[in-house]
Amino acid sequence: MKHSLATTSLLMLLLAGSAGAQEISHVRNLAPDATVSSVDFSKDILRSLSPGERTPLNLMKDDGSSSFIILSSANTPGMNGAFYKTEVSLVTHWTSSRIKVNMYGIPNDTSPLSNPSVIHGGSFTLNGLTNYHWDNILDMLGLKGAGYVLVAVDSSAYSNYTSYLMSATANTYTASPDGGFFRTPIPVFTDGSLLSSTASYRVPNMNQDSLNRHNMVVFNVNATKSLTVNLRFHTYSTTGWSPSIAITVPPIGATQVSYDSLFHSLTGEGELAFNPDSSSSSSGPWVGYAIRTDNTTNDGLLLLPYRADFANWPQ
């Protein structure tokens, strides 16, 4: 969908409502003060995903968070002439303090805790009551490709780091063939337990044909165990499900796979199932969803799953 920066800025002002009548400053494409180490990443990611830190980040009405993760971030060429970038707008809720905030870019299909060389990161000093905007956050962090971004108040520098709150929005975007840009809002979250390791989740109304393409994203919150998720698909014109195809995600890792690479022979409208493998996967929470992209315009649409357990609705 096409979105303007004015819309993003308005949303940031709404998110910073706790600032009262004080004016919000604006800073664009701030460069990092210094690089950050894998030791910093280990501390920040584990504290960010610990149960005590899990509070849902509601973008339209929330009190902010001291850390969050942005999935489906990109700085990479795509199909049909696209080049995908991820923009991030962040509002600081503190007032007069200048606070050190670490940002990390982690490539898909890597295990940053066991292979710290994949971590790209920078340390930023952020003023209070300021809307910071980065046009291409992965490029600013020195990462080419696709992955996720961790943003966290430096948990080593401040014993009260959870007192410093931020709100954020993010879009992955590419140029439109007829001018302007198509932007796809992407998840910004602080709650690692979005999806249960014991339940199945479904993405309805996936329409795989010559006009559309789909990608599936899975993020593993567990810091010590790999996550295995079985994917299945059925078209609405049939009653049976396809055989399961397993994808395995390393600890604190993310992966993105194309529908066409897994279910090339299955076309038409249908439903995708995410089924965690309880016998071999981590017992912890995870995140999964799909993105549909128009093959003509490269316009993307985020497809969130529902829990296939009607007895426990709403979930």
Side-chain angles (χ1 to χ4, degrees):
M1 298 175 64
K2 288 187 176 180
H3 298 272
S4 68
L5 291 180
T7 301
T8 301
S9 297
L10 176 60
L11 178 56
M12 289 297 94
L13 292 175
L14 292 173
L15 290 174
S18 60
Q22 292 180 270
E23 184 177 353
I24 301 294
S25 300
H26 297 265
V27 176
R28 197 177 190 89
N29 295 324
L30 179 71
D33 304 320
T35 59
V36 285
S37 70
S38 59
V39 174
D40 293 323
F41 174 79
S42 298
K43 291 179 180 179
D44 287 338
I45 190 70
L46 295 178
R47 290 173 179 174
S48 298
L49 296 176
S50 63
E53 300 301 320
R54 293 178 185 167
T55 54
L57 187 64
N58 183 329
L59 294 181
M60 293 307 295
K61 185 180 179 182
D62 77 278
D63 295 325
S65 173
S66 62
S67 64
F68 50 84
I69 287 173
I70 305 169
L71 298 176
S72 296
S73 298
N75 178 31
T76 185
M79 294 178 62
N80 303 326
F83 192 98
Y84 291 100
K85 305 174 185 178
T86 296
E87 61 179 357
V88 174
S89 287
L90 180 155
V91 164
T92 56
H93 290 209
W94 53 86
T95 54
S96 59
S97 302
R98 286 171 54 83
I99 300 300
K100 181 180 177 182
V101 175
N102 296 330
M103 301 188 193
Y104 309 87
I106 309 300
N108 285 339
D109 303 309
T110 63
S111 183
L113 295 181
S114 60
N115 183 17
S117 65
V118 305
I119 299 172
H120 293 68
S123 175
F124 299 75
T125 301
L126 303 187
N127 294 321
L129 300 181
T130 301
N131 176 6
Y132 291 92
H133 183 90
W134 289 271
D135 295 324
N136 186 345
I137 189 63
L138 289 189
D139 184 64
M140 182 64 71
L141 297 175
L143 176 59
K144 295 181 179 180
Y148 70 89
V149 173
L150 167 68
V151 179
V153 172
D154 190 329
S155 57
S156 298
Y158 311 99
S159 59
N160 62 336
Y161 64 94
T162 57
S163 300
Y164 299 104
L165 304 179
M166 305 170 284
S167 295
T169 59
N171 300 287
T172 290
Y173 67 100
T174 187
S176 168
D178 59 354
F181 294 88
F182 278 114
R183 285 175 163 81
T184 303
I186 55 177
V188 179
F189 72 93
T190 63
D191 190 341
S193 56
L194 289 181
L195 302 183
S196 167
S197 61
T198 60
S200 175
Y201 293 83
R202 309 281 177 83
V203 179
N205 302 321
M206 288 184 60
N207 191 14
Q208 182 74 12
D209 54 28
S210 61
L211 301 178
N212 300 281
R213 61 187 185 272
H214 292 81
N215 287 284
M216 290 80 78
V217 176
V218 176
F219 176 67
N220 178 17
V221 175
N222 196 289
T224 59
K225 298 180 181 179
S226 295
L227 168 72
T228 297
V229 176
N230 296 309
L231 301 180
R232 306 181 73 183
F233 187 80
H234 83 88
T235 60
Y236 293 142
S237 60
T238 62
T239 57
W241 287 87
S242 71
S244 293
I245 298 178
I247 60 172
T248 299
V249 187
I252 309 296
T255 192
Q256 178 172 302
V257 294
S258 71
Y259 174 96
D260 191 59
S261 68
L262 302 181
F263 306 108
H264 179 73
S265 62
L266 297 176
T267 59
E269 189 173 21
E271 187 168 40
L272 175 75
F274 290 90
N275 300 312
D277 185 347
S278 59
S279 64
S280 60
S281 68
S282 69
S283 59
W286 58 287
V287 178
Y289 56 90
I291 298 174
R292 178 194 301 162
T293 304
D294 187 291
N295 281 332
T296 301
T297 65
N298 291 317
D299 186 16
L301 177 66
L302 181 66
L303 304 175
L304 296 176
Y306 69 92
R307 180 167 174 163
D309 183 354
F310 299 98
N312 287 327
W313 275 29
Q315 289 284 348

